[in-house]
Each structure stands twice: as structure tokens, then as C-alpha cells.
Amino acid sequence: MLPPARMIVVAAAAALLAGVPAPSSAADTTFGFTDSFDHAVDKDPTYGLNDALAVRQEGAQRGVAYSRTPGLWYKSPAPRPWYSQVNHAKHPGTLSFWLGTSAVRLEAPVVAGADGRVAAQVTTDPVVGDESDGAWSSLVLSADPAVTGYVSEAGVSLALLVRSDGGVQAFSHGTMVLDRPGAATPDARGRYRLKVGVRPGADTATVSVNGVTAQVALKKAFPARSTLHLGAYIDDDRTTTTFDDLAIAAVAPEPGDVGSLRYLGYFAARITEAGGNHLPEVRGRSNLNWVNISDYSRYAAEVLESCAPRSCLVYTGHEFFSGCDAAGSPTCRLHPDHRERWRRLADKVKPHMDKVAGFYLKDEPFHKGASYQDLRTSAQAVKATFPDAPVMMVEASTKVNSALRVPPEVDWVGFDWYCRTGAEIEPMLRTLESVTGPEQKLFLMPQAAPLKACGSKAGYQSDADLAELQWDYVDLARRHPRVIGLLAFGLWVESTPVSRLPRTIEAHERIAAKLL
């Protein structure tokens, strides 16, 4: 194992290849996977690493997540999330590394493309604003997926690094196989384009940095499947490393089976002005979000401009119902002027219909005391105004039984039951399937934050448990093809900051990558 970067020297000249110029065929490569690192929301707790994958990645194999790794020459815990960020305000459209050495791992094996070659390339600035430092950035391909991402690990099949001063080195299975101090010249913005090309089973590879091209000898035959890391060696915590425009000939992601799921999003993405508008921060990991624009003093229709196209569920309960503040309320009924109230809301929404996915009726209507006829009247009014927009109803678990009646004007039906596992939810889902028509699609409401209602019940308070619960709901949807959406509940409705739920948010990002 080699010591840190500044100590990597030519200690055994006989072990090095001077590098034989070789033509590169990268221009002929078709890339099945690219990542621009644009569009992500760089925000605590996940700092954009896996945000907006469906938008920023292109190619037949897009939607691949990353994991943070130490990037060190010894085993160490993964760095804190802010060590690597995507689309930071100071370095937009890049993957940036901060504060110290670390790496990120692409969560899909790199394989040969249509031409039989493994090809990967990325643009990097090892030290932003500097062209004389010896700190470096690297592109690493390893046979062993468990490596940390450091260039000279024994499990690394091929690593290519460039220093800020233009020095180029390559490594294979712990041995330096290329060393060219100061060989590469940065572009006008101080960046370098790293390129590697190799055939599976070959014992040589072609590497290139801004046109400085060499053929290097590998210590072992290159594997058919390899793991890619992007890493930064930072020895001054005031400096930053960036990567941009990653392109790979082909990757082999695991099948992303999410069943018939088409939607993922959040209940209460916008409740009131005081509660804040969370739509901008969830845009990259959702495509359906519950919003209320009926504030006490006005209609906040401008909120809908924060929605991605056809992604917001507009709440209509305030327009139609009153007196529904408690379970089984005897005063829960239609407003006397519900038609006029609905007309006012509809008029505010109409200019923004390109942002609207559907309309959400009174929440938990029967649990709150609404009658079937009043609920149907509200659904009919929405349908009469917006005949092509889905109408959604979500009921409380206490009312999901064989006697439940769902108005035929309702297109999407769900229920909420928190502090429960997927296995506990499933029998109730079967009941909902039995009392709704086959044309009515179903939604589930996974708990995504600690809730006071759960008390001290194990399994619903920790971030790790809640993250696992999100995948339980995906499994549940996979077993029930009428389930087309998950509307996560718990964020912004109680006191737990989103910053304390990094694993849960990451689960949503990864589900979104598979679904979107």
C-alpha cells in the first residue's frame, strides 16, 4: 500500500512504464450513462448526491445512485455528507469535494459497451483556482467493490489521477504503472478531462488526460465488471475539488423493480405560508406532492409555480367542508356556499394547470364525520370543472372496512395507518382493494418521520428504522399492482427536522431513481 499522495514518488523506476503514445477511440464511444451533476438540490441532510438523478443523468442506464466512501489508503468510516456535494452554489453543475480526502462510489458495475470496450471519462479540477498544487483527483475502476476509492489499493484494477500542476499517474493493483510529472496542461478554466479505455480480460489499458495519452500495463487482467470511484486527495481543508460530465460506455444496474409504482412524493409539502414551501427542495426526488394554497387570508396560487410539471395535488377540503375538526364530528358538512368557494379556488388554479397532477378531497373524510353524499358532491364538483384531472381521497385506517363506500368520481384512493409495518398494513390494503373498483388506483402513505402517535413503540423513531420502512412499502406496492403511488407522511407536520433523517431522505432519492 502506498502512503499519501505527496509521498507517492518514483521509488522503483523499473516498475514504471514511461507510457507509449496510443490513439484513443473515446470519440467513437457511445455512452450509455452520463451524469451532468446539474439540477440537484444541495441541501442538508444529503447534499444533493443522489438528488434529481432522473433529470441530471442521461442514457439508457440512467437512475444510478452513489455512496460516499473514505477515499483513503486505510479503512475508515465514510465521511460526513457535506464532504461531497452536488450542485453547490459556489460550484454549480458539479460534484464537489470539501474539507478533506474522500470519494464517491457509483452503485452500478461498469461493463463493456457495444464496441466491447470499457470506457469512462470525467472532467475535473483538482484544486479550484490553482494550477501549481500537488493535490489530485482520480478516476478509479476496481475489481473489488469494497475498496475505499484510493488509487493504490490492492483491489484497484486501474486508477488514473491528475494533480493540480498537471502531473499524471496511473496505478494497477497497488503498483504505479505511469508517472508523468507536469505532463498535462489544464484548459482555460483549470480543468482536466480524464479518460480510460480497456477491454475486459486485457492486460493493457489506454489512459488520457487533456490529450496526453498513454498505454499502460495492468498487473492483472481487467475484470468484466468493475466499480467506479471518483476521489479527491485534499490536504488543505480550504481547497475544493470538482468533477463534471461523467460519461461511461455502459453500466449494469440491478433491476429496479418497483412494481406498478408511478408516483412518489410528500404529504404537506406546503401547508401554510408560516409552515414554508418545501416544493423546491423535494423536486428532484418526487413527482407528486400534496399542497394547500387556501391560506386564511388569500389563495397562494403562486406556490404552484414551484411544482414540477403535473406534480402537485391541490387540497380542496377547506373549500367544501366545515366543522370537521375532530374524529366523528357531528358538525362536519358541506359549506352552504361550497360551490362559490370551489369556483374561487378553481379560478386561481386554472392558470397553473400544467403544474397540477390532481385534486385531493377532504382528508380522512369519513373519520372526520363527513357523509358519503357530501363527499360525492365535492368529487362531482371537481370533476365537472376539471374532467381530466384525477380526484384523490385518503381515508383513516379506522374506516377502511367492508362497509367503506368510495364515490365513483374518485380516481385515486388511499388510507393512512402509521406506526405499523408493511406486514400489518397489507391486510387493510387487501380490504381497500375489495371495496374499490378495478379502475380506481391505490396509494399508500408511508410514515417518514417520528410521530408522537407512535409513542415509544420500537421501529418508528429512528432514522434507520424509517428508512427501512420506506422500502417495505415499495415491496408492498410490488405485490399489489393496483398501488401506483407512495405519499410519504411526517415531514413538516411535527417537530423532527429533515436534517435528522438522512437515511430516510436517501431512501426516497434511491426509490425515485428507480421509479422516475
Side-chain angles (χ1 to χ4, degrees), residues 282-328:
V282 304
R283 185 181 179 116
R285 61 176 188 264
S286 63
N287 64 350
L288 190 72
N289 293 292
W290 184 101
V291 299
N292 172 54
I293 66 168
S294 304
D295 290 354
Y296 293 112
S297 59
R298 69 185 186 96
Y299 289 106
E302 72 279 1
V303 167
L304 297 176
E305 287 306 303
S306 302
C307 306
R310 297 175 298 281
S311 69
C312 277
L313 280 169
V314 178
Y315 185 54
T316 67
H318 297 310
E319 277 58 51
F320 288 104
F321 286 89
S322 66
C324 310
D325 299 328

Side-chain angles (χ1 to χ4, degrees), residues 314-381:
V314 178
Y315 185 54
T316 67
H318 297 310
E319 277 58 51
F320 288 104
F321 286 89
S322 66
C324 310
D325 299 328
S329 174
T331 61
C332 183
R333 56 179 58 90
L334 288 173
H335 273 289
D337 60 343
H338 64 270
R339 292 182 181 84
E340 177 60 20
R341 293 169 66 93
W342 164 243
R343 185 194 63 76
R344 289 197 297 267
L345 175 60
D347 287 347
K348 294 294 184 180
V349 171
K350 284 176 182 177
H352 310 278
M353 277 303 293
D354 61 323
K355 303 288 189 175
V356 174
F359 294 88
Y360 190 108
L361 301 179
K362 176 64 186 175
D363 192 40
E364 301 179 337
F366 301 137
H367 176 67
K368 297 291 178 62
S371 70
Y372 172 84
Q373 189 54 55
D374 281 356
L375 184 67
R376 186 174 186 188
T377 296
S378 68
Q380 289 171 332

Side-chain angles (χ1 to χ4, degrees), residues 225-471:
R225 298 162 69 90
S226 59
T227 299
L228 181 141
H229 287 78
L230 301 176
Y233 184 86
I234 297 175
D235 58 2
D236 182 344
D237 63 11
R238 298 168 298 177
T239 63
T240 305
T241 299
T242 65
F243 288 86
D244 196 7
D245 294 329
L246 174 64
I248 304 171
V251 296
E254 294 183 4
D257 181 14
V258 292
S260 298
L261 279 179
R262 290 162 30 205
Y263 298 103
L264 173 68
Y266 297 91
F267 184 91
R270 197 277 183 184
I271 304 177
T272 63
E273 186 173 4
N277 178 8
H278 303 283
L279 291 166
E281 68 194 72
V282 304
R283 185 181 179 116
R285 61 176 188 264
S286 63
N287 64 350
L288 190 72
N289 293 292
W290 184 101
V291 299
N292 172 54
I293 66 168
S294 304
D295 290 354
Y296 293 112
S297 59
R298 69 185 186 96
Y299 289 106
E302 72 279 1
V303 167
L304 297 176
E305 287 306 303
S306 302
C307 306
R310 297 175 298 281
S311 69
C312 277
L313 280 169
V314 178
Y315 185 54
T316 67
H318 297 310
E319 277 58 51
F320 288 104
F321 286 89
S322 66
C324 310
D325 299 328
S329 174
T331 61
C332 183
R333 56 179 58 90
L334 288 173
H335 273 289
D337 60 343
H338 64 270
R339 292 182 181 84
E340 177 60 20
R341 293 169 66 93
W342 164 243
R343 185 194 63 76
R344 289 197 297 267
L345 175 60
D347 287 347
K348 294 294 184 180
V349 171
K350 284 176 182 177
H352 310 278
M353 277 303 293
D354 61 323
K355 303 288 189 175
V356 174
F359 294 88
Y360 190 108
L361 301 179
K362 176 64 186 175
D363 192 40
E364 301 179 337
F366 301 137
H367 176 67
K368 297 291 178 62
S371 70
Y372 172 84
Q373 189 54 55
D374 281 356
L375 184 67
R376 186 174 186 188
T377 296
S378 68
Q380 289 171 332
V382 174
K383 274 297 184 185
T385 309
F386 300 107
D388 297 327
V391 173
M392 185 172 183
M393 161 190 164
V394 171
E395 187 50 80
S397 60
T398 54
K399 295 295 182 178
V400 179
N401 53 49
S402 60
L404 177 66
R405 296 172 64 201
V406 177
E409 293 79 12
V410 172
D411 305 286
W412 294 348
V413 189
F415 69 93
D416 52 43
W417 197 20
Y418 307 119
C419 320
R420 297 292 186 275
T421 65
E424 291 174 297
I425 291 288
E426 191 160 19
M428 188 166 292
L429 175 57
R430 292 195 183 100
T431 298
L432 187 64
E433 289 171 328
S434 71
V435 297
T436 52
E439 74 285 353
Q440 292 173 312
K441 303 304 180 184
L442 307 183
F443 277 73
L444 297 173
M445 308 280 287
Q447 179 185 339
L451 299 175
K452 294 175 184 176
C454 299
S456 60
K457 187 175 182 180
Y460 306 97
Q461 300 299 326
S462 77
D463 182 31
D465 288 340
L466 291 168
E468 184 177 350
L469 186 63
Q470 310 312 299
W471 290 106

